[in-house]
Amino acid sequence: MQQRCTMAAKACGAILAASLCARAAAAAEPNARTFFMENCQQCHQVRGVDNTGNIGPALSDMKARFPDRKALFAIVFDETKRNPQTVMPPFGRNLILTSQEINTIIDFLYSR
Amino acid sequence: MRRAVLLGLAMFTLAAPQILTATCHAADSINPQADFKAFRKYFTERFTNVPLNDFVNGPYSMDAGLRKQWLEIDAFPPYQFALDKGKEMFNTPFKNGKTYGDCFPNKGIGVRQDYPYFDTKSGEVITLDVALNQCREANGEKPFDYSKDDMAALTAYMAYTSRGKRFDIKIPDDPRALAAYEKGEEYFYTRRGQLNFSCASCHVQNPGGHLRTEVLAPALGIVAAMPIYRSEWGGMGTISRRFTSCNSQVRATPLKPEDELYRDVEYYLSYMSNGLPISGPGARP
């Protein structure tokens, strides 16, 4: 993991990869907000986070809109299942995030 | 199957149904003219308030706020240093007394819009950057690194003398030329990398969208402003630098700069931009 990130970080210096690569450093202090900023901020607005992108819809009222946690997990795990054309990366399927990390992000979203 | 998916899928989310049908009709044969029409239609219908010639200004064509900042910066363009250096390099003879101008039609002035071209002798797409290195090697000089400043300076000067000239990319009647075009098109629409993006995911599906704070450029006219000065890079970038960094962003393994396949992609994108003016060198946030 450490190894993979260092190599990717060298290769990229770019928005998506660079932010994802910052994870190794952040791992010492797992923090849902940091996970969100590293993986989702480039595309989604959420209350309390600055400099977000707008490629995807704003993630607000999550509890009301996604009462079924499994459904929300499935979207983050692999949104191409629901929408083959989506640009949202398949975080679970492509091993970008572990299930535990996805769940940490979901807790964060439910708190918004 | 494949041809039906390319443009069709990438445009699916927002495309009008007739584009899908148009591209599906082309399903069996390679038809660059039909692709060109569908591509142009997609962008002009989606961005009805962007004048056609403005697409060559990349992110600035999509965002009024950015555009304002750009017009202010452009009074003192950050690529000026590269431009001056490129002009001097261009006019300085090689050790054998010849110059770059001797390698190009019209002495290399105002010719950017004709690149890349398909070279029927070698059977490959030749970009301006490759033609410059071929010129150097033919005159006993070492080739430049395709991603670095010397190449950026030379191409900046050659783009500058061609500003306003319109892309005029030809696909000669040669099956290899069509194959190169098709390979480029396919690469552009194929998803790759751990993050699972195609070039089109960003530049066809989401132009004008904000990826964090960056505004995505539209694929129409996307190479017209190259090379570019980017504040984020603190310097100039060639087409190779841009393509490889776009690949790395999605955690895909970039190709070698000016790899044959990248040249095919540039051929495809430039053909799609036929009729649009050269705007390079560009400046980006």
Side-chain angles (χ1 to χ4, degrees), chain B residues 17 45 82 150 174 184 204 233:
Chain B
E45 286 183 356
D150 287 328
D174 180 328
V204 175
W233 289 337

Side-chain angles (χ1 to χ4, degrees), chain A residues 37-105:
Chain A
M37 289 178 52
E38 286 161 2
N39 294 283
C40 324
Q41 177 199 25
Q42 53 270 52
C43 295
H44 292 287
Q45 291 174 293
V46 79
R47 193 161 49 80
V49 176
D50 294 335
N51 292 328
T52 52
N54 64 4
I55 308 285
L59 300 177
S60 48
D61 293 326
M62 296 303 280
K63 265 223 171 92
R65 289 170 52 230
F66 294 94
D68 178 3
R69 188 178 180 108
K70 274 211 195 103
L72 185 51
F73 185 93
I75 291 176
V76 184
F77 191 87
D78 185 2
E79 171 65 353
T80 66
K81 281 240 168 74
R82 230 177 32 141
N83 172 11
Q85 279 81 39
T86 190
V87 298
M88 176 158 153
F91 288 97
R93 171 165 67 82
N94 276 13
L95 308 177
I96 302 163
L97 295 171
T98 64
S99 296
Q100 198 189 342
E101 288 166 341
I102 294 176
N103 275 315
T104 308
I105 291 180

Side-chain angles (χ1 to χ4, degrees), chain A residues 4 11-17 19-20 37 41-43 51-55 80 83-87 89-90 93-96, chain B residues 9-10 12-13 191 193-197 201-202 205-206 208-214 216 232-233 244-245 248-251 254:
Chain A
R4 195 185 78 208
C12 55
I15 346 169
L16 283 172
S19 60
L20 287 159
M37 289 178 52
Q41 177 199 25
Q42 53 270 52
C43 295
N51 292 328
T52 52
N54 64 4
I55 308 285
T80 66
N83 172 11
Q85 279 81 39
T86 190
V87 298
R93 171 165 67 82
N94 276 13
L95 308 177
I96 302 163
Chain B
L9 274 196
F12 180 75
T13 26
R191 289 180 183 246
Q194 193 182 22
L195 301 190
N196 199 39
F197 282 82
S201 307
C202 287
Q205 274 183 277
N206 289 297
H210 289 237
L211 193 63
R212 189 156 290 151
T213 56
E214 289 204 70
L216 292 169
E232 200 199 291
W233 289 337
T244 51
S245 49
S248 302
Q249 275 182 60
V250 300
R251 294 209 202 162

Side-chain angles (χ1 to χ4, degrees), chain B residues 22 38 46 54 103 117 142 186 209 219 227 281:
Chain B
R46 181 162 167 195
D54 199 36
C103 297
Y117 70 95
K142 286 218 179 81
E186 191 184 333

Side-chain angles (χ1 to χ4, degrees), chain B residues 248-276:
Chain B
S248 302
Q249 275 182 60
V250 300
R251 294 209 202 162
T253 310
L255 303 172
K256 279 195 325 296
E258 298 295 335
D259 184 281
E260 191 171 353
L261 200 43
Y262 272 161
R263 284 184 269 142
D264 293 347
V265 173
E266 192 184 331
Y267 191 46
Y268 166 72
L269 287 172
S270 305
Y271 182 82
M272 288 298 121
S273 302
N274 264 345
L276 292 183

